Amino acid sequence: MAKYGTNVDKKWQEKWESTGFHKFDENAPGEKLYTLEMFSYPSGAKLHAGHWFNYGPTDSWARFKKMQGYNVFQPMGFDAFGLPAENYAIKTGVHPKDSTEQNIENMETQLKAMGAMFNWDHEVVTCRPDYYKWTQWIFALLYKNNLAYRKKAPVNWCPSCNTVLANEQVKEGLCERCDTEVTKKDLTQWFLKITDYAEELLQDLDKLDWPEKTKAMQKHWIGKSKGAEATFKIDNSDLTFDVFTTRVDTLNGVTYVVLAPESPMVQDVTLPEFKAAVENYRIEAAKQTDIERQSISREKTGVFTGSYAINPINGKKVPIWVADYVLATYGTGCVMAVPAHDDRDFEFATKFKLPIDRVIKGKENVDDALPFTEHGILVNSGEFDNLTTAAAKEAIVNKLSENNLGRWKINYRLRDWLVSRQRYWGAPIPIIHCDKCGTVVVPDEQLPVKLPYDVAFAPDGKSPLAKCDEFINTTCPTCGGPAKREADTLDTFVCSSWYQMRYVDNNNSEIIFDKDKVNKMLPVDKYVGGPEHACMHLLYARFITKALRDLGYLDFDEPFKSLTHQGLILGPDGQKMSKSKGNTISPDDYIIDFGADVFRMYLMFGFSYVEGGAWSDDGIKSMHKFVERIERTIETLRDELSNDQNTKTTMEKEEKELNYARHYAIKNITIDTDKFQFNTAIARIMEFVNALVKYSAVENKNTSFLKETLKDFIMIIAPFAPHFGEEQWELLEGDFSVFNSNWPEVDEKALIKEEIEIAIQINGKIKERIEIPATLTEDEIKVEALNNTKIKESLEGMDVKKVIIIKGRLVNIVAK
Ligand code: ANZ
Ligand code: ZN
């Protein structure tokens, strides 16, 4: 008999392939279930344990769901554009297209070795023209509907990657990819108007079955802030500017105002004798990142402009300063400073010896959760004194709006999505610049705008495509005159923002996807991938879904109904795996030794799915032993089935015990697997195996019961060990495939224990164990205990004071 290993893996992988077993049929019976794992980036490093941890257990879940009767769709593809291939090309000279296609081929082979039931017919590869044609089409559609625009903006610039980064790609002031310090650069860039959807993106989080932490991160990223705008006039001028404040109730405590160094107002208000100092300050500020500027520990800096502004509520004149703790990109870029009640303003005022005024507050209600500091001198502001925060806000906004000097205002921290990259390996932005017609979008029938192959992609901060004459020179679709193509490419997050829809109709060459098909298959029922995508990919995909819905291409609001993040598999040393530390685990080697199923089972048993943990060689070795033990046990029991001497047809104590273990396993594995709690599910499988081993020692077996039990066992283990499951099923049933069978049902009756064992104690010491019917009442248990011969003897000459019964476990007799 073939022992489980890669030979068995291969046998079943070929069978699945040759029978088209994993082809998806949208008309097959069963409710549709779209299971999606975040597609991978085809890098030369091949699949690592982390990929397996994402894909393996999720496939087991999907197989379990298939056996429960769902029509499961589980596609796979490649997120194939992006910097790593381009950087690799710069280093080695291998063209990104060639290395990417080669990596895809290797990774497909690896993915197939995993034995997951991916619907390969639905594969998408984002760097191929049949896919990026539609990525470009989406961009063009958004452009035509005022959801894409170009503007000059200070952008995050990584001097090492030589490219623009989205805010989300800057981690504590450093480039997420290469850890280089990010600087600012003024560039004309393309943006997608995700801010139009800020409110809906926030509200709809409530509809999602997602990890709370991820929802909280998105909520924070969207950063809704309810406040007010107040208009300050500039003294001796007709100019005004607005400030955004969440504490309009402190308006009477304003002692100065601050403009962000980048604010266009700065030029207008700075008096001649202050110009030089202000200009110097602006240059210095431009070198700082927003993160540094907001850092609390950093000493406050700033310069006076020489001008004054007039407080709209009390007419007081306050100095106008420029300081970099105010960001140009938030609110109005101008702040009213209230040093008595705001820590940053307090620090600044203390340093520059500015006055500190405190407003008089009434009794607070619980809603007023904001801290309210107690510095400075009390200022009298008449009607606004002694009010609660909420009442003061209300009164002040009313007064301001009467004079058209203020209004309620909601602000979001979310910025528009910057999508242009000055790099080669991405989808070209489908825009043409014409001297006569201006910015012209490439007409749909001219898509895709093909990415040329022969391009000098060494980075110098300019778009490589700009240097490719045959690409850049074109004719204007509107006037037919000579024109130039846009040379920037799209952020790869645009490619991955809609792939979940293309999977459904991946070969459609006429339209992006069939609306009915997509409406039928989406939203994705279960999405699984790393938590690092919380604020980028997951937010962008939600935005694109909502935009396409509003433009009539689909009818649902959210792309991913339910989301699970797998944990991280660390190296054996407990550190994050990395080549330089030499602690990486390559699945390939283990699979050769143990087979894919052992690897998958170890990943599921050795870790909590959402937590992950450190790899252990001992762990996978004991899983190997366990699988061998299962194999031996099944083999022995299978032989018994043809043993003529086993003629028992009754359910005696041994059968009832095994039947209990069987249904206990079915019940709990069903519950746990459904919740992605694979480790406890496999622990229940182990208990089931123990019960089978115990039963194998029984002399006279009930063979028809045994066969049913074995069938259930193999069905239960199949999703966790798919190749092994098929093999055992064939050996037992002579049939293909175990995945066509229905997931076993629990027989609750088998779970009612008829007899239970309880301990009897006298004064806390165990004296006896007895078996009693599980249905006895407390009084009946008491009688049983006190009438037990051994207990009677022990109680001789003592007085029973009390009998304490802990149901189902023990009886304690207190006696003197
Ligand atoms: C006066 C005030 C008094 C403020 C007080 C706070 C406390 P969130 O909640 O994040 O929206 N602010 C406004 N625009 C800013 C900018 N461009 N750069 C830096 N800070 C800015 O924060 C809103 C508060 O942050 C606003 O309310 C403003 O300071 C400041 F006791 O106005 B506040
Ligand atoms: Zn033109």
Side-chain angles (χ1 to χ4, degrees):
M1 188 190 86
K3 285 279 173 235
Y4 173 68
T6 43
N7 51 334
V8 174
D9 289 352
K10 285 220 180 69
K11 170 179 166 187
W12 292 102
Q13 283 157 21
E14 278 161 22
K15 181 96 181 185
W16 291 327
E17 177 116 25
S18 67
T19 56
F21 193 64
H22 295 154
K23 280 205 164 73
F24 178 68
D25 174 5
E26 59 172 327
N27 298 316
E31 192 182 330
K32 75 93 182 171
L33 187 114
Y34 189 165
T35 311
L36 183 63
E37 292 106 285
M38 289 182 183
F39 62 169
S40 52
Y41 183 82
S43 77
K46 300 179 113 189
L47 291 182
H48 50 70
H51 288 115
W52 275 73
F53 197 46
N54 183 348
Y55 302 155
T58 308
D59 175 63
S60 293
W61 184 83
R63 287 177 178 275
F64 157 74
K65 286 287 173 189
K66 177 181 162 63
M67 291 174 80
Q68 281 194 328
Y70 289 92
N71 188 20
V72 176
F73 181 51
Q74 187 182 222
M76 185 43 78
F78 295 94
D79 189 12
F81 270 138
L83 274 181
E86 192 166 338
N87 289 342
Y88 179 74
I90 293 157
K91 228 168 51 197
T92 63
V94 183
H95 193 281
K97 179 168 186 288
D98 301 340
S99 65
T100 301
E101 289 293 348
Q102 183 58 55
N103 291 336
I104 288 174
E105 216 178 291
N106 297 341
M107 286 174 84
E108 278 170 356
T109 310
Q110 285 186 298
L111 283 166
K112 284 176 183 160
M114 188 183 289
M117 49 172 196
F118 295 128
N119 309 119
W120 285 108
D121 291 356
H122 287 260
E123 181 178 23
V124 302
V125 176
T126 61
C127 70
R128 293 182 187 157
D130 66 339
Y131 183 88
Y132 72 68
K133 168 179 178 173
W134 301 108
T135 307
Q136 293 173 335
W137 180 88
I138 290 178
F139 179 91
L141 180 76
L142 296 178
Y143 179 79
K144 287 178 259 187
N145 288 280
N146 297 318
L147 287 167
Y149 65 94
R150 204 158 84 118
K151 74 164 188 215
K152 203 170 179 118
V155 294
N156 303 307
W157 179 262
C158 172
S160 162
C161 295
N162 254 310
T163 190
V164 163
L165 301 174
N167 285 339
E168 295 88 329
Q169 289 168 312
V170 182
K171 294 275 135 77
E172 287 166 20
L174 305 179
C175 169
E176 180 187 56
R177 273 207 197 82
C178 70
D179 279 349
T180 305
E181 201 165 319
V182 174
T183 59
K184 289 266 154 191
K185 208 170 179 177
D186 249 338
L187 281 177
T188 305
Q189 298 288 337
W190 285 98
F191 294 86
L192 299 184
K193 252 196 193 159
I194 190 171
T195 53
D196 275 13
Y197 286 86
E199 185 60 31
E200 200 194 328
L201 288 168
L202 182 68
Q203 295 305 329
D204 282 359
L205 285 171
D206 289 343
K207 293 185 190 166
L208 301 174
D209 169 27
W210 283 21
E212 284 308 320
K213 198 173 157 205
T214 304
K215 291 208 259 185
M217 281 169 77
Q218 289 212 353
K219 195 170 166 188
H220 175 76
W221 192 259
I222 296 166
K224 180 177 184 172
S225 171
K226 289 180 206 165
E229 274 178 0
T231 305
F232 282 69
K233 289 197 168 109
I234 291 164
D235 195 28
N236 293 325
S237 149
D238 295 335
L239 296 173
T240 65
F241 62 90
D242 291 339
V243 299
F244 172 70
T245 177
T246 46
R247 297 302 304 269
V248 72
D249 55 307
T250 64
L251 188 54
N252 274 298
V254 173
T255 56
Y256 65 102
V257 290
V258 192
L259 307 180
E262 301 84 357
S263 164
M265 286 300 297
V266 172
Q267 300 282 12
D268 301 333
V269 304
T270 305
L271 298 185
E273 60 267 42
F274 295 89
K275 280 242 151 57
V278 167
E279 195 44 40
N280 272 338
Y281 186 75
R282 283 174 66 136
I283 293 166
E284 282 308 307
K287 293 181 190 157
Q288 312 290 325
T289 63
D290 283 3
I291 315 261
E292 286 165 340
R293 285 167 56 162
Q294 285 174 294
S295 154
I296 320 169
S297 55
R298 205 169 140 258
E299 199 185 326
K300 296 278 168 295
T301 59
V303 280
F304 180 44
T305 62
S307 290
Y308 291 81
I310 296 168
N311 187 326
I313 203 78
N314 56 24
K316 269 188 204 159
K317 266 197 331 186
V318 291
I320 305 175
W321 284 68
V322 174
D324 67 3
Y325 76 94
V326 173
L327 304 178
T329 49
Y330 188 69
T332 62
C334 311
V335 165
M336 61 180 229
V338 192
H341 302 292
D342 181 277
D343 292 341
R344 290 170 306 172
D345 299 344
F346 180 72
E347 248 183 81
F348 191 88
T350 309
K351 178 164 174 192
F352 293 103
K353 306 214 162 32
L354 293 158
I356 299 174
D357 291 351
R358 176 148 61 96
V359 301
I360 302 171
K361 299 253 305 161
K363 232 171 114 199
E364 290 292 311
N365 32 35
V366 246
D367 295 343
D368 302 322
L370 282 164
F372 213 76
T373 53
E374 298 291 333
H375 315 287
I377 52 158
L378 286 176
V379 291
N380 190 320
S381 49
E383 58 185 301
F384 304 113
D385 284 348
N386 290 315
L387 295 176
T388 63
T389 300
K393 283 179 177 173
E394 193 75 38
I396 290 178
V397 170
N398 284 344
K399 180 78 180 278
L400 290 174
S401 57
E402 274 169 28
N403 302 315
N404 201 21
L405 289 172
R407 60 221 70 98
W408 295 112
K409 170 82 185 173
I410 288 172
N411 240 316
Y412 299 91
R413 204 173 83 89
L414 184 69
R415 298 277 79 97
D416 276 338
W417 175 14
L418 196 166
V419 294
S420 44
R421 298 288 181 273
Q422 293 67 50
R423 296 298 295 236
Y424 165 66
W425 191 234
I429 294 177
I431 289 287
I432 290 169
H433 302 286
C434 169
D435 282 343
K436 257 196 254 155
C437 313
T439 307
V440 182
V441 64
V442 176
D444 288 356
E445 59 278 9
Q446 288 180 25
L447 295 177
V449 176
K450 281 226 174 110
L451 184 69
Y453 184 85
D454 285 317
V455 171
F457 39 74
D460 55 8
K462 294 202 194 69
S463 307
L465 291 178
K467 292 168 274 181
C468 176
D469 289 340
E470 53 172 3
F471 173 83
I472 208 80
N473 296 317
T474 185
T475 47
C476 170
T478 308
C479 71
K484 295 223 185 287
R485 286 192 189 280
E486 171 65 51
D488 287 358
T489 53
L490 287 168
D491 178 9
T492 52
F493 280 116
V494 182
C495 309
S496 57
S497 67
W498 70 282
Y499 77 119
Q500 72 281 3
M501 294 176 295
R502 183 67 182 175
Y503 270 141
V504 171
D505 197 14
N506 62 330
N507 289 322
N508 201 325
S509 55
E510 302 295 315
I511 47 172
I512 181 165
F513 45 68
D514 182 90
K515 186 174 173 178
D516 291 340
K517 277 190 187 166
V518 163
N519 281 339
K520 183 172 163 191
M521 291 306 295
L522 277 101
V524 169
D525 296 283
K526 184 53 128 180
Y527 196 28
V528 186
E532 65 278 12
H533 293 293
C535 280
M536 291 181 275
H537 165 58
L538 289 167
L539 196 59
Y540 297 150
R542 295 183 60 214
F543 157 58
I544 293 295
T545 300
K546 289 173 189 300
L548 290 177
R549 175 205 60 197
D550 288 347
L551 297 171
Y553 292 91
L554 45 87
D555 292 333
F556 46 92
D557 301 322
E558 287 287 338
F560 315 118
K561 210 155 56 183
S562 173
L563 172 72
T564 297
H565 294 308
Q566 80 275 14
L568 202 61
I569 300 296
L570 305 167
D573 54 359
Q575 303 292 309
K576 208 174 161 181
M577 287 189 202
S578 84
K579 273 208 187 111
S580 60
K581 286 201 209 103
N583 63 352
T584 58
I585 295 296
S586 151
D588 296 18
D589 304 339
Y590 289 92
I591 284 144
I592 292 167
D593 290 348
F594 302 126
D597 289 350
V598 170
F599 196 87
R600 292 174 58 156
M601 294 260 286
Y602 167 59
L603 287 178
M604 284 184 278
F605 180 65
F607 309 89
S608 140
Y609 191 63
V610 295
E611 280 162 24
W615 176 270
S616 148
D617 266 356
D618 289 343
I620 192 165
K621 279 180 200 150
S622 52
M623 184 51 75
H624 176 59
K625 290 211 184 83
F626 174 60
V627 172
E628 283 180 337
R629 180 164 186 244
I630 301 175
E631 197 161 26
R632 277 197 310 272
T633 308
I634 299 181
E635 190 176 2
T636 318
L637 289 172
R638 215 173 38 231
D639 287 348
E640 295 270 353
L641 294 179
S642 49
N643 186 341
D644 300 339
Q645 278 161 8
N646 288 333
T647 51
K648 184 157 96 179
T649 51
T650 49
M651 293 286 280
E652 281 163 38
K653 190 162 175 272
E654 301 81 22
E655 279 77 26
K656 283 182 182 161
E657 239 177 71
L658 177 58
N659 205 34
Y660 177 87
R662 164 187 173 190
H663 287 284
Y664 184 81
I666 295 173
K667 181 169 181 168
N668 289 289
I669 293 166
T670 307
I671 294 170
D672 292 354
T673 307
D674 203 54
K675 294 192 283 193
F676 274 64
Q677 286 170 6
F678 305 110
N679 50 353
T680 50
I682 290 181
R684 300 291 88 80
I685 292 179
M686 291 173 166
E687 290 162 4
F688 194 175
V689 174
N690 289 341
L692 285 169
V693 171
K694 193 170 170 201
Y695 189 71
S696 66
V698 171
E699 286 282 312
N700 187 17
K701 297 190 176 68
N702 178 333
T703 42
S704 67
F705 161 73
L706 176 60
K707 178 145 191 209
E708 290 310 306
T709 305
L710 275 180
K711 270 171 74 174
D712 276 0
F713 178 78
I714 295 167
M715 284 190 254
I716 280 179
I717 201 167
F720 301 91
H723 311 88
F724 178 79
E726 291 281 28
E727 182 72 16
Q728 294 302 328
W729 189 254
E730 186 183 61
L731 289 166
L732 187 73
E733 290 287 285
D735 198 11
F736 172 76
S737 146
V738 65
F739 296 102
N740 283 334
S741 25
N742 296 327
W743 186 253
E745 300 243 347
V746 196
D747 177 3
E748 291 285 350
K749 284 205 295 293
L751 291 175
I752 302 166
K753 280 202 167 171
E754 292 176 0
E755 297 261 296
I756 51 169
E757 191 193 82
I758 58 163
I760 306 174
Q761 298 181 335
I762 296 176
N763 295 330
K765 279 208 190 86
I766 296 183
K767 294 284 174 188
E768 178 68 312
R769 290 177 194 280
I770 56 167
E771 293 222 327
I772 54 164
T775 49
L776 288 195
T777 64
E778 291 206 2
D779 284 342
E780 287 166 336
I781 295 174
K782 198 167 149 183
V783 173
E784 283 285 325
L786 292 171
N787 283 323
N788 178 277
T789 350
K790 203 164 163 196
I791 296 296
K792 265 189 177 158
E793 277 167 23
S794 305
L795 284 173
E796 201 104 10
M798 295 170 101
D799 267 352
V800 175
K801 298 279 172 206
K802 210 163 140 195
V803 180
I804 303 158
I805 296 170
I806 298 173
K807 230 181 161 207
R809 297 221 333 263
L810 67 87
V811 177
N812 186 18
I813 300 164
V814 184
K816 267 196 190 140

